[in-house]
Amino acid sequence: QAQLVESGGGSVQAGGSLRLSCLDSGRTFSNYVIGWFRQAPEKEREFVAAIDWTAHRTYYEDFAKGRFAISRDIAKNTVYLQMNSLNPEDTAVYFCAAQPQRETIVIETPTKYDSWGQGTQVTVSS
């Protein structure tokens, strides 16, 4: 059974960086699409970035382009989200999620993902 675990959250000042990690202790990420989402208080969960593990294609929401980078380490079965130039609007709980590769992938919709981690808090102060 999939067990996604996020780590790497914390508190930083505006302009700082954090690297989030997502590990699945129950299965390999092969043939999965791994996504990062975030949810701020009283807001909807929103897509941040995703990576097709096998094809190594990456996808980003507009606010993440140029600041965030998603990557994978095959040997460690881990997906990373490097976040640079953080600002207070990035404050949220960040979740990783997984969905099986399909002929048609919908990467931005949370309900398409069947496995979720517990989330890690990211707080950016001004």
Side-chain angles (χ1 to χ4, degrees):
Q1 186 174 351
Q3 296 181 358
L4 300 179
V5 179
E6 304 95 335
S7 61
S11 297
V12 296
Q13 291 191 328
S17 299
L18 285 172
R19 188 178 78 160
L20 306 184
S21 300
C22 176
L23 169 69
D24 190 330
S25 62
R27 64 183 173 186
T28 176
F29 279 145
S30 295
N31 300 315
Y32 279 85
V33 173
I34 311 303
W36 283 98
F37 290 78
R38 70 183 187 182
Q39 189 165 17
E42 301 181 358
K43 290 190 175 181
E44 297 284 323
R45 189 167 297 190
E46 64 177 348
F47 172 73
V48 178
I51 185 167
D52 180 318
W53 184 269
T54 303
H56 202 207
R57 281 189 294 265
T58 57
Y59 310 85
Y60 295 94
E61 188 55 85
D62 285 345
F63 67 78
K65 292 177 181 177
R67 296 193 301 131
F68 295 0
I70 190 169
S71 63
R72 76 193 196 299
D73 185 322
I74 296 175
K76 295 182 179 179
N77 200 45
T78 299
V79 172
Y80 301 101
L81 183 67
Q82 177 68 43
M83 305 188 296
N84 301 322
S85 302
L86 287 164
N87 59 63
E89 289 71 37
D90 295 316
T91 295
V93 178
Y94 284 71
F95 300 87
C96 70
Q99 64 169 295
Q101 287 178 331
R102 302 179 179 92
E103 187 170 333
T104 302
I105 296 291
V106 179
I107 60 164
E108 298 180 346
T109 303
T111 55
K112 297 299 184 182
Y113 292 79
D114 60 6
S115 304
W116 289 83
Q118 81 289 348
T120 185
Q121 176 70 46
V122 171
T123 303
V124 185
S125 58
S126 57

